Each structure stands twice: as C-alpha cells, then as structure tokens.
Amino acid sequence: MQQQYRAYQQQMPPQVPHRSPHATTQRRGGYGPVMTGGQPAMQPAHAQNQHNMQQQQAYQAAEQVKRLKSRKPTDKNLPDGVEDCIVDPEIARRYKELREVERRIDTTMTRKRLDVMDSANRNAKLYKTMRIWITNTVEDQAWQGSGDLNVDAFDFSPNMEASYRVKIEGRLLDDEEETDKPENDKAQDGDKMEEDGPEGEKAKTASSSPKPCFSHFFKEINVEFDKQRYRNAAEQAIEWKRPEPNARTQSGGNPAADFDEFTFKRNGDENTNITINLHRFEVPERYSLSPELAEIVDMKEGTQHEVVMGLWEYIRLNGLQEDEEKRNFRCDELLKRVIGAVEVAHIPMLNEYVKRHLGPQAPISLPYTIRVDEEFHKDPQPTVYDVQILVDDPMRATLQSLVVNPQYASMLKDVTELDGQLGRLVQAIAVSHAKHSFFNSLSEDPANFIRNWLSSQKRDLDIVFGETARSGAAVTGDEWRKGGKDSIWATSNARESVNVLLSKHR
C-alpha cells in the first residue's frame, strides 16, 4: 500500500492537492512516520496536561502542609505574669511543675530508648553451658556369639565382622540447671564431668521452648583415631563440615546442618582411644591472639573489632597519641613487638596491624575411649562433658521487639496531636493575657496610656513607610522635604544613598 501511495503522489502535479488512495474504512496511522506495532502510541495532549495538573496539585498540597506546620504554635510555656491575672494562681504553678516533670520523663525515655537500641544492635554474647554425652554400642563381638563356636567353621563374612557405633549428643542447659550444679562439678572446656544419661536431661525440658540444635554452634566436627595404634588412622578419621549457606537453604532451612546427634560406625574388636574436635561457629568470627598482642589487650580470644578497640584503649590510656597529628601514635616496646620496629604508626592502619596476629581458635577437644569389652557393656554409662559456648543474649529479641514496636509510632502520633492542642491553648492564653494587660493599663491611667500608645503606633508607621532615619534620630517627613545647606540631603549618608540609587538605574 505504501508503494502505491508514493507512485500516485509522483504522478500528481505539485500544485494540485491530492487525496489518499486508501479506502475510507481502512485504518491507517496519523501524520508522521509509520510506527510498528511494538512502539507505543503518542500520548494525547490532554493526558499530558492532566498529568501536569496532578503534579501541580500535589505540589500545592505539600506546600500547604508545610505552611500549616510553620504556623503551628510550638511554645507551650505560660507567659510571665499569668498568675496575677487568673482566679486561682495554683493552677499556673501546677502546670509549670507538670512541664518540668514532662521534661524529665522525655529525657529519661529518650536516653533509655537509645540505650535499648544500642544494646539491641551491639550483638551481645553470653557464655552458656552445653552438656555433651558420648557413648558407644558394639555388634558382632566375640563375647556376643555362642559359646560352642567351631573355629574351623568360623565365618569371616563382612556381615559377621565385629564393629562398634559411637554416638555424640549435645544439648544446651537451662539457667536453672546450671545454677543447680554443685561447684565441684563445674568444669571448663574439655573437662570430664559426670556419667549420667541424656534421657533424664531431655525429660526436664520437654515442655520448655525450643533451643538451637547441637550442630548450630559448630562449623566442623572431626574424630581422630589413635595414630600410634592404627597405621591408617587418617583414613578412618570422621569429618563433618557445615554446608555453605545459599538462597534455598536460608529460606527453607537445611536439614543436613541441623542435628542433635552425631553417629558413626567402624569395624574393630579392641578398645580404641579417639579425640573428638569441635570447631566453634561464631558470628562475628572470633580469633586466637598471638602472645604479643594478648599481652597488650589483655585477652586471648576475641573478634577483630574487640581487639582493635582494645588496642586503641591501650594507646589512649598510655597517652601515645600525638598532639599535633591525631592520626598518628608513638610506639612503645610492647607495640613495637606487634606493629614492627617503627617509632610512629597510624591509627587508621590498626586493622592491618592486628590481622597479622590473629589465628583460628583452638577446637574443643574431647578424649574418649571406645569400649568393646563385655564388662563395660554389662552396665554402660555415657561419658559427659560440659563445655562453654557463646550464645546470643536472650534479651536481644525482647529489646528488638521494643525498638520496632508499632505501638510506639501510634503513641508518638497521639502525643504530637496533644502537643498541638496544648500549643494552641497556650497561644490563646497568651492572647488573652495581652488583652488583659492592655485594658488594665488603660483603666489605670487612660490619658498617658493613649498618648504612649499613639506615639508607639506612629513610630511603627514611620518605620513601615521608611520615614525614620537609619542612624536612629527622630526625623519627620517635613524635615526630609526641606532643602538647603543644613538639610538632611546635604549629609554624607544621603549623598551615598543617592549615588547608589543612580548607579542601579545605569
């Protein structure tokens, strides 16, 4: 169709108007280049005008809100002398006392709220006790078979090979259980505690709130066999590592990383010594400090932020910061062993200085002997260890709910409305007090009051109309209209003002 239209146009004289060969019922585009179906149509002019009007209305509404806020009275203090104008002066005194109490309450609430927000964002940690039970069972041991075993017909098939199964189970103790323990039973990491069963401990907290799993506190668990006894001890070693988090595991959880029991099975018919190493999982990560750095900050383990803050406290308390250049500090003998043989170091480089002296934490090592003899398994008892684990402060969740409480916003809205009403009442009281003072002064001495009031009004009018001298001298309009050598126009101020005025017109 477009080719026919162009050919027809070329045959027509340029002066003669022509019509389009398209049919009247045929749909075609408007003026301008033909647009494909994928391009949007041109926006009508009235729609653009309507959009501009909406933007203008929104801008005017915002400006109106700003004007209303600017005109909103904010002074809630009673004017001076109101006590002398009302029937009961005690009301004004009590109002001032309430204002003072409100000021103290607002100050206290603001300070406490800031403290709560700081505590909720600090990610505080607490040490709690985790109890770990280690036990083992045996299968197909020699003493478990029949007494009339024929040596010649002994079956060496794999399903009859002697084996043992070791189970490691852990649970976080409640505060009540920790305080109920006697002092001589408390131990540090890796200290053997007692021999009891985990079933009784579970029954105590069956109705308590759910706690994090045993694996939640560790990023790696490995079991090392006695290397002096087994040549292939490295091959028999057991290892578990926490899976790396991803979008799927974070949203739906990862069952492979959540367990309360860790069990493994190996073949053997002799008692075996093993060491269970638990590598702690902590956020933010904690490190083991070198002896040189630990002597300065007085801690053996800590996060990088804690170590940097401890190093800064040492610099500040010992007055090592330079007076002129605050970013530099002088190094004493202890700092030189950490930073290097330099006399002056830089505070912004503290993180770099500290990184060289941070190492991974030592794992929690729990020794255990796998017993396969008949005498032990007549009445097997688990080996129990109590280890100290860093956990999140349970008060943090409560504090976080206080910080993001939706009722606080609604309360602030109500308080703002009450403050607005109070400001308008105080403004009305101030206007009434001004009226009372005006009429009271008028009733005491009408003649002098009217004279002074008219003089004040005249002075205000002179200022408004610009008939008052800038130097402060009282000059009337008649004096400005006078000319001559001694007139106001002969002064230097008038000449300067005229010259400025004429220079603007140029």
Side-chain angles (χ1 to χ4, degrees):
M1 300 294 294
Q2 190 70 18
Q3 295 178 359
Q4 296 176 4
Y5 177 79
R6 290 177 179 174
Y8 181 78
Q9 184 180 10
Q10 292 176 1
Q11 296 177 4
M12 293 293 295
Q15 296 83 4
V16 180
H18 60 274
R19 296 180 178 270
S20 174
H22 297 282
T24 56
T25 58
Q26 187 175 0
R27 182 179 178 181
R28 63 190 297 262
Y31 295 102
V34 178
M35 300 177 65
T36 61
Q39 296 179 352
M42 296 181 64
Q43 188 176 10
H46 65 86
Q48 184 68 26
N49 295 336
Q50 185 178 3
H51 179 67
N52 295 337
M53 290 176 62
Q54 292 178 355
Q55 289 185 344
Q56 186 176 4
Q57 291 176 358
Y59 176 76
Q60 291 177 356
E63 291 296 325
Q64 182 67 17
V65 171
K66 291 180 181 179
R67 284 194 294 269
L68 292 177
K69 288 184 178 180
S70 62
R71 297 173 184 174
K72 186 177 180 180
T74 57
D75 188 9
K76 294 182 285 293
N77 296 321
L78 290 177
D80 296 335
V82 174
E83 299 87 350
D84 303 332
C85 305
I86 59 178
V87 178
D88 189 2
E90 185 68 16
I91 297 177
R93 187 185 64 82
R94 293 189 61 184
Y95 176 80
K96 292 181 179 180
E97 292 178 355
L98 290 175
R99 286 283 299 162
E100 182 64 23
V101 173
E102 181 187 16
R103 185 189 63 79
R104 292 200 299 267
I105 291 177
D106 289 343
T107 304
T108 304
M109 290 182 62
T110 303
R111 185 174 65 251
K112 293 297 182 182
R113 183 171 178 80
L114 292 176
D115 293 342
V116 168
M117 293 177 64
D118 182 65
S119 300
N121 298 330
R122 191 182 297 140
N123 194 16
K125 301 286 186 177
L126 296 177
Y127 276 103
K128 296 199 70 174
T129 301
M130 170 173 283
R131 182 160 294 176
I132 300 176
W133 295 267
I134 308 175
T135 184
N136 72 279
T137 58
V138 294
E139 297 177 2
D140 301 330
Q141 297 293 328
W143 53 269
Q144 290 179 319
S146 59
D148 300 332
L149 183 64
N150 188 1
V151 178
D152 297 334
F154 191 80
D155 187 5
F156 290 94
S157 58
N159 58 350
M160 295 297 295
E161 189 172 358
S163 62
Y164 52 83
R165 188 184 301 271
V166 180
K167 182 173 71 173
I168 306 168
E169 184 177 1
R171 184 180 63 80
L172 205 62
L173 297 182
D174 294 328
D175 296 336
E176 295 79 5
E177 295 176 285
E178 295 184 32
T179 54
D180 291 342
K181 293 187 301 181
E183 291 295 330
N184 53 2
D185 286 344
K186 296 182 180 179
Q188 300 297 328
D189 296 355
D191 293 341
K192 185 175 179 180
M193 285 292 300
E194 53 183 340
E195 294 187 355
D196 56 0
E199 301 300 331
E201 299 290 343
K202 286 183 177 180
K204 296 179 183 178
T205 59
S207 60
S208 60
S209 59
K211 299 179 181 179
C213 299
F214 169 68
S215 61
H216 175 77
F217 301 98
F218 304 103
K219 62 182 179 181
E220 183 179 346
I221 301 176
N222 58 64
V223 181
E224 296 179 354
F225 287 78
D226 190 0
K227 297 181 180 179
Q228 298 179 356
R229 187 178 182 87
Y230 295 96
R231 294 181 179 179
N232 58 345
E235 298 179 359
Q236 289 190 347
I238 309 296
E239 186 177 34
W240 170 86
K241 290 186 178 181
R242 174 185 290 271
E244 293 293 334
N246 51 47
R248 182 179 61 82
T249 57
Q250 287 179 354
S251 59
N254 190 359
D258 298 333
F259 56 84
D260 289 323
E261 298 180 1
F262 183 77
T263 307
F264 65 91
K265 181 181 178 180
R266 286 290 184 272
N267 297 327
D269 56 359
E270 295 181 356
N271 294 342
T272 305
N273 294 326
I274 62 173
T275 302
I276 303 170
N277 298 318
L278 306 176
H279 299 264
R280 286 164 284 194
F281 175 73
E282 297 172 347
V283 178
E285 187 175 0
R286 298 177 66 85
Y287 301 92
S288 177
L289 277 61
S290 65
E292 297 81 7
L293 184 59
E295 185 178 1
I296 294 177
V297 299
D298 195 19
M299 62 176 73
K300 295 182 179 181
E301 294 180 354
T303 63
Q304 184 173 351
H305 177 72
E306 292 174 350
V307 175
V308 171
M309 293 304 298
L311 191 59
W312 159 245
E313 288 293 330
Y314 177 84
I315 296 171
R316 186 177 61 84
L317 294 177
N318 289 274
L320 300 177
Q321 188 177 13
E322 290 189 350
D323 298 332
E324 296 181 357
E325 183 58 51
K326 298 294 183 180
R327 296 182 300 174
N328 299 338
F329 63 93
R330 299 177 299 275
C331 296
D332 56 5
E333 294 301 325
L334 294 178
L335 288 175
K336 287 181 180 179
R337 288 189 290 176
V338 173
I339 297 174
V342 295
E343 296 295 333
V344 178
H346 310 288
I347 293 178
M349 298 290 293
L350 287 180
N351 278 299
E352 300 298 329
Y353 300 148
V354 165
K355 283 182 180 179
R356 300 193 295 265
H357 297 270
L358 300 180
Q361 288 190 95
I364 301 173
S365 299
L366 307 178
Y368 178 72
T369 301
I370 301 175
R371 301 285 298 274
V372 299
D373 56 286
E374 182 179 3
E375 181 180 357
F376 173 79
H377 286 278
K378 289 181 180 178
D379 185 18
Q381 296 293 333
T383 302
V384 183
Y385 289 90
D386 278 1
V387 298
Q388 298 298 313
I389 298 294
L390 273 177
V391 299
D392 292 332
D393 190 353
M395 288 296 296
R396 185 186 179 190
T398 305
L399 297 177
Q400 195 70 24
S401 63
L402 293 176
V403 172
V404 298
N405 190 0
Q407 296 181 356
Y408 179 75
S410 61
M411 182 194 68
L412 284 181
K413 184 178 179 180
D414 297 339
V415 170
T416 303
E417 292 179 357
L418 293 176
D419 284 344
Q421 296 177 8
L422 183 59
R424 288 189 291 271
L425 289 175
V426 170
Q427 187 181 38
I429 292 174
V431 173
S432 300
H433 177 257
K435 292 180 180 179
H436 180 272
S437 301
F438 179 85
F439 290 111
N440 187 34
S441 300
L442 179 62
S443 63
E444 292 178 355
D445 191 0
N448 291 329
F449 179 80
I450 293 296
R451 186 182 300 109
N452 295 333
W453 181 73
L454 291 176
S455 176
S456 175
Q457 294 296 316
K458 181 179 181 300
R459 187 165 55 252
D460 295 341
L461 289 174
D462 291 340
I463 293 175
V464 171
F465 289 108
E467 296 184 355
T468 302
R470 293 184 180 180
S471 60
V475 181
T476 62
D478 296 336
E479 294 180 0
W480 280 105
R481 287 188 286 270
K482 292 180 181 179
K485 183 178 179 181
D486 298 331
S487 66
I488 298 176
W489 296 102
T491 60
S492 59
N493 291 334
R495 287 195 300 269
E496 182 180 355
S497 300
V498 171
N499 291 332
V500 171
L501 182 62
L502 293 175
S503 64
K504 289 182 178 180
H505 287 284
R506 294 174 185 172

